[in-house]
Amino acid sequence: MKMNKTLESLASQVNSMKKFGDAIVFERISDSFGEKGERPDLLIIGEAPGYEEVRIGKPFVGRSGKLLDKWIQIFGIKDYVITNVVKSHPTDAKTQYNRKPTDEEIAYWKPVLEKEIKALKPKAILCLGDVAYRTLTNSSKTITSVIKSGLRFDYNGIPVIVYFHPSYLLRNKDYDWKPDMLKIKDALDSLKSQSKL
Ligand code: URA
C-alpha cells in the first residue's frame, strides 16, 4: 500500500521524539500510519499503547483490542484506522506497570495527533475514553456524563462519537455495552446515508 507522504514523515518524527519518564516509545508507529490510505470512514482514537502493542508494533492488539474488534464488527465498517493520543507506552518507573498518561505527556503528543487527523482526513472519529475525548475538546466534562447525554460534536468539521475505553469495560464486566454499540452503529449508518461516510 502506498504510504501517505505526510504520514510517513510524521511516523519518522514520532520515532525520534523523546519519551517520558521511562515510557517506551512506540517504535513502529508507522505500522498504523496511513496503512489503510487516506479518508478512512472511521478514525478510532485510543489512549496509549500498552506492553503488547509495543511488542507487536500495532495499536490495540491486546485484550482491549479484542473487545474493540468485536465492536468494529458490529459497526460493519471495513475502512478504518486505529491510533492513540500518546505514542509511547506509559510505564511506572518503579512497578513497570501501565500508568495513565500525564497531562504533560498528552500535551507533548497532541500536535502529532492533530497532524495525523489532518493528513488522514477521516470521515468520522470515534474517541475511546477520557484521554482521547479531552485531547480533542479541551473539555473537563467526565466521559460518563458525555456518553449519558449522547453528546456528539464536530472536530474541525469531522463528526465525533465518544465512548468508553474498552479497558474500562473489561474492568466493569457487568456493564452491557451491546445496546451502546447498536446506537453507535445507527449513528454511523446515518452518516453513511447522508453520504458523509
Ligand atoms: N489501549 C489503548 O488506548 N491503545 C492501545 O493501543 C492499546 C490499549
Side-chain angles (χ1 to χ4, degrees):
M1 161 91 51
K2 197 165 116 300
M3 258 303 237
N4 172 317
K5 284 273 170 238
T6 314
L7 292 168
E8 206 166 5
S9 70
L10 206 50
S12 55
Q13 179 193 332
V14 162
N15 286 336
S16 64
M17 281 169 82
K18 69 178 180 188
K19 48 189 193 162
F20 272 82
D22 65 347
I24 300 162
V25 171
F26 191 5
E27 297 285 349
R28 293 167 58 204
I29 188 71
S30 50
D31 280 5
S32 68
F33 271 46
E35 65 177 358
K36 299 193 185 211
E38 270 181 49
R39 293 280 299 145
D41 284 345
L42 188 63
L43 173 66
I44 301 171
I45 308 177
E47 183 175 300
Y51 177 82
E52 274 304 292
E53 284 73 26
V54 169
R55 192 176 69 79
I56 294 178
K58 281 188 189 292
F60 281 101
V61 291
R63 289 179 63 232
S64 296
K66 303 259 171 326
L67 182 52
L68 179 57
D69 286 346
K70 288 188 192 165
W71 296 353
I72 295 170
Q73 277 213 330
I74 295 174
F75 304 154
I77 285 193
K78 303 248 165 356
D79 184 15
Y80 61 89
V81 172
I82 306 178
T83 193
N84 285 301
V85 174
V86 169
K87 314 298 190 197
S88 57
H89 175 200
T91 33
D92 183 283
K94 277 199 196 122
T95 62
Q96 296 292 307
Y97 285 128
N98 290 350
R99 60 167 170 74
K100 202 85 182 152
T102 61
D103 287 349
E104 189 196 12
E105 213 164 15
I106 293 167
Y108 179 72
W109 290 107
K110 185 175 171 174
V112 175
L113 179 70
E114 287 169 341
K115 286 187 201 159
E116 196 179 352
I117 297 174
K118 217 169 174 183
L120 276 171
K121 303 180 194 72
K123 295 178 195 153
I125 293 176
L126 174 62
C127 270
L128 297 176
D130 62 327
V131 168
Y133 169 67
R134 281 192 285 117
T135 305
L136 289 194
T137 58
N138 292 322
S139 161
S140 54
K141 283 196 181 117
T142 66
I143 187 99
T144 313
S145 71
V146 172
I147 294 166
K148 262 197 190 146
S149 69
L151 180 81
R152 303 266 155 79
F153 63 96
D154 272 16
Y155 171 85
N156 292 343
I158 307 166
V160 182
I161 295 171
V162 183
Y163 196 57
F164 293 117
H165 193 283
S167 67
Y168 172 79
L169 293 179
L170 286 173
R171 291 193 302 273
N172 291 275
K173 292 206 184 308
D174 293 341
Y175 186 91
D176 182 10
W177 46 259
K178 287 191 193 76
D180 297 339
M181 282 310 124
L182 297 177
K183 276 192 209 147
I184 296 178
K185 181 184 176 355
D186 277 354
L188 293 169
D189 286 349
S190 136
L191 288 172
K192 223 182 252 169
S193 68
Q194 297 163 43
S195 307
K196 290 198 180 151
L197 293 197

